[in-house]
Amino acid sequence: MSPLLSVRDLTVAFGKDASEPVVRGVSFELNPGETLAIVGESGSGKSVTALSINRLVDFGGGRIVGGSMRLTRPDGAVLELSQAEERTLVDIRGREIGMIFQEPMTSLNPVHTVGAQIEEAFRLHRGLVGQAARQAAREALDRVRIADAEQRLRYYPHQLSGGMRQRVMIAMALAGNPRLLIADEPTTALDVTVQAQIMALLAELRAETGMAMIFITHDIGLVAGIADHVLVMQNGVAVEQGRLDAVLDAPQHDYTQHLLNAVPHFSGGRAVRADGARAEGGERPMVAVKDLVVRFPVGRGLFARNAGAVHAVEGVDFDLVQGETLAIVGESGSGKSTTARAILGLVEATRGTVDAASGQGGRPIQMVFQDPFASLNPRLDVESLLAEPAIAAGRRIDAALRERMGFLLEKVGLPANCLVRYPHQFSGGQRQRLCIARALMLNPDVVVLDEAVSALDVSVQAKVLDLLIDLQREFGLAYLFISHDMAVVERIAHRVAVMYAGQIVEIGGAGAVLSRPRHSYTRRLIAAVPGMDRRRQRYDVDTTPVPSLVRPRGYEPPQADWIEAGPDHLVRMETA
């Protein structure tokens, strides 16, 4: 059997100078139904390799300067992709080679509804029009577990969470039933339950259609669960490749060993932190949240009459003491980020209270966002970026402020001479360190970290987590840590709150919640965590329907009943 794709000595360069290619001599073969995982850190060349296969690298200034890429077409003919004309490639993209990109916000058109964009994919690749295309789009959203699919089709990309936007991208990529699917970090923004659903869907499609897949990721647990072969890249070169078990169990290259050692492994709550502030007597709460409710009105009809509301956050209660990390986990769209934004006043709470203890000088709550590049103004140098919070608080740049900048840059592991540099001159991990330093400029009591390490490579992620723990111990910071990565949560959290459909369903000490989950959703969440020991596992599709958060006008949920499952461990009673 001829391979579906054969890549030999692929070399890719950018600009006119081909003397320093960014990908050098990469070779591999892929048969129908097989999955090749390409792993490596940012800048290793894995995405450039993927983009070269369907020649999308051409649109970013890249050129294939050496090697061959031979694709076997459905009729048995072999096409040399490196030499193919653009009109041939247009016919191949989507139909024969599908692509899921990592960043959905830059891949989706902001001026069109997601429904129109999914329908376009079905129209181009399957020839569906009108009601048939709309029905196919609705079924595609159902398949990637987006609740209220009919309503979500009318949403624009900015109205969806990051995880939901990624699911829309996956639905569009699968619309053409491609023979080869290139998935570039497709589950980075997804929580573990939805991640498991997507992996199950990809495995199901592969079994049904014989679709081959190139899966680019930094999550070795996912690699263990789906890949047949693994290719490890560093600095544009394939430093190791082979069958899954051989690479994971007996890595030969130092870099492969480094990657495997850096991966955080979830141990079911056995590796949680033992330095909790509450265990040592505790402090008065830095933040106390009581009955927090956030609702967004939903319009209907010609004049957008208020027909109800999205109950994004419903009756959330928790507090956070000095030196403590409370992790909030849950599905995309469960209300995690909305809760954080309501605490900072970035969205208006419908009701409820957020009491923040005023520290010395009324120190504020600060936030570190998921995407460091989007958080930093590319036109400002580091000095101006770090000065922003102080200027907003009425201060001016003086010797004392510059001294504070140098102190914080040293604390986050960056040289003081980087004050004159710009964001694009730093790596992703360094940019996130800048965001952390900026958040600490006003000496806050509480730092909200919204998926602050999810976009980082595993080794960089480990360093940033260590940095956060060190800073917390030194300055007594309280963290509200929002994440979908349970291994990361286990490493940094003292307490865990599990959110589902806008409500906290379980909260308590990290060890108790992660090792002895009581709520059915918490159990599903933990059961979906991938691991190195789950080789070529069968991902079971969770058929539990995602509850709708859209409620009719005037609706009020019933009062919650709680069960005390142990010391500092509360579980919301489930309705039959």
Side-chain angles (χ1 to χ4, degrees), residues 3-8 27-31 34 36 229 241:
L4 174 64
L5 178 68
S6 177
V7 176
R8 287 285 176 268
S27 300
F28 61 85
E29 286 189 349
L30 191 61
N31 294 315
E34 285 186 341
L36 170 71
H229 303 271
Q241 63 177 302

Side-chain angles (χ1 to χ4, degrees), residues 251-551:
Q252 300 299 305
H253 197 275
D254 290 345
Y255 181 67
T256 310
Q257 296 169 8
H258 161 74
L259 277 184
L260 291 171
N261 291 333
V263 176
H265 300 289
F266 182 67
S267 65
R270 294 188 296 275
V272 298
R273 295 173 65 179
D275 60 345
R278 291 174 193 252
E280 299 167 1
E283 302 277 348
R284 70 190 181 102
M286 293 292 99
V287 175
V289 178
K290 183 67 175 175
D291 192 31
L292 181 64
V293 175
V294 181
R295 297 172 182 171
F296 302 106
V298 176
R300 181 181 297 162
L302 180 62
F303 299 102
R305 180 172 56 86
N306 187 357
V310 176
H311 287 223
V313 177
E314 197 64 57
V316 164
D317 297 301
F318 63 83
D319 59 30
L320 188 58
V321 304
Q322 184 178 13
E324 177 182 68
T325 299
L326 171 67
I328 301 182
V329 300
E331 291 189 1
S332 172
S334 64
K336 308 186 300 293
S337 294
T338 304
T339 297
R341 290 170 184 272
I343 291 171
L344 278 94
L346 297 178
V347 298
E348 185 178 355
T350 305
R351 68 166 181 261
T353 59
V354 178
D355 293 326
S358 58
Q360 299 174 1
R363 293 181 291 175
I365 303 173
Q366 291 291 317
M367 190 162 187
V368 178
F369 294 93
Q370 177 176 358
D371 185 350
F373 199 72
S375 304
L376 301 172
N377 189 329
R379 297 183 178 182
L380 299 182
D381 60 19
V382 169
E383 180 179 272
S384 300
L385 289 167
L386 293 181
E388 278 185 315
I391 292 172
R395 294 182 58 181
R396 58 189 179 84
I397 300 179
D398 53 19
L401 196 63
R402 288 194 176 94
E403 184 179 353
R404 175 74 175 169
M405 293 178 189
F407 171 75
L408 289 175
L409 287 175
E410 180 184 356
K411 289 298 179 184
V412 299
L414 293 174
N417 61 12
C418 74
L419 286 170
V420 296
R421 294 164 62 185
Y422 289 82
H424 72 273
Q425 296 175 293
F426 296 89
S427 69
Q430 289 175 322
R431 286 195 290 264
Q432 197 61 293
R433 287 168 183 261
L434 284 176
C435 290
I436 293 169
R438 183 172 63 172
L440 298 180
M441 279 296 295
L442 295 182
N443 200 19
D445 288 312
V446 179
V447 179
V448 179
L449 299 127
D450 189 1
E451 300 280 10
V453 299
S454 64
L456 304 178
D457 295 316
V458 286
S459 60
V460 177
Q461 183 185 85
K463 293 175 183 176
V464 172
L465 288 174
D466 289 339
L467 169 66
L468 290 171
I469 292 171
D470 290 342
L471 292 172
Q472 182 177 52
R473 289 171 176 162
E474 182 170 354
F475 299 118
L477 297 169
Y479 291 149
L480 186 64
F481 192 87
I482 296 169
S483 179
H484 63 265
D485 189 327
M486 302 299 284
V488 169
V489 166
E490 183 181 38
R491 181 170 179 175
I492 197 171
H494 298 107
R495 304 177 73 236
V496 175
V498 182
M499 288 195 72
Y500 182 62
Q503 300 176 325
I504 289 180
V505 297
E506 189 162 355
I507 186 170
V513 173
L514 298 180
S515 65
R516 299 183 299 278
R518 293 287 299 275
H519 196 277
S520 61
Y521 174 70
T522 311
R523 290 171 178 164
R524 294 203 306 271
L525 198 68
I526 291 173
V529 177
M532 291 283 290
D533 57 339
R534 301 182 180 181
R535 303 292 171 87
R536 295 303 308 273
Q537 70 181 55
R538 181 181 180 275
Y539 286 90
D540 294 320
V541 177
D542 182 1
T543 58
T544 306
V546 180
S548 172
L549 299 182
V550 179
R551 304 295 187 185

Side-chain angles (χ1 to χ4, degrees), residues 233-250:
M233 293 193 67
Q234 182 187 29
N235 298 327
V237 177
V239 296
E240 186 166 353
Q241 63 177 302
R243 293 202 60 83
L244 174 73
D245 293 339
V247 174
L248 297 190
D249 293 336

